[in-house]
Amino acid sequence: MSATYSLDDLRQKLQNSPYKCTHQRRVVLEVFVNNPGVHLSAEEVHDILKQKSADIGLATVYRALELLCSKEIGILQKIDFGDGCSRYELNLTEPNSHQHHHMICTNCKKVIEFSEDMLDDLEADIMKKCGFKVTDHQVKFFGLCEECRNEIAN
């Protein structure tokens, strides 16, 4: 189940963390609030900020992203879609709930989110057989999206 947060809520979460709510961190956060559901790389965040005439370096963007996705703050989630480029998105899940999953088209590189979590039985089986308590997981499916399948079929 996902929660909805306003920019003010997310700023408050950052201010309540042990870290300062700097201008640079706020403007990086605003990029994600203004681009909901988009999986952005550090370079893409930097490009968006440059277009807005924000005076922030790429290294500062990287540091802000890493801090915003740290366990202490957890506002962002860091994701690797298998192409060697880390991407980030707002972490809008309730505490103690699983993240959504991603389907990545190997042809057009589109990323589609999938919310339904069907792994509860598997997690219970892992706990029973191995004594390992799963607290979270990330699932990525690679294949062809409907549009690419249709293009290939025609």
Side-chain angles (χ1 to χ4, degrees), residues 15 83 88-89 127 131 146:
Q15 288 172 339
D83 61 358
Y88 303 83
E89 67 179 345
M127 178 67 172
E146 185 174 4

Side-chain angles (χ1 to χ4, degrees), residues 27-76:
V27 296
V28 167
L29 181 57
E30 286 176 18
V31 169
F32 288 92
V33 171
N34 294 333
N35 294 279
V38 180
H39 306 90
L40 298 169
S41 69
E43 291 80 7
E44 291 167 330
V45 171
H46 186 247
D47 288 344
I48 291 168
L49 290 171
K50 281 193 332 192
Q51 290 172 10
K52 292 182 174 187
S53 300
D55 187 22
I56 183 171
L58 182 57
T60 303
V61 170
Y62 271 105
R63 286 191 299 273
L65 291 170
E66 289 302 313
L67 182 68
L68 292 170
C69 70
S70 68
K71 286 189 184 273
E72 295 88 4
I73 299 176
I75 292 173
L76 298 180

Side-chain angles (χ1 to χ4, degrees), residues 88-102:
Y88 303 83
E89 67 179 345
L90 280 175
N91 181 6
L92 299 177
T93 58
E94 300 284 345
N96 302 319
S97 69
H98 293 303
Q99 301 291 336
H100 55 268
H101 306 306
H102 296 93

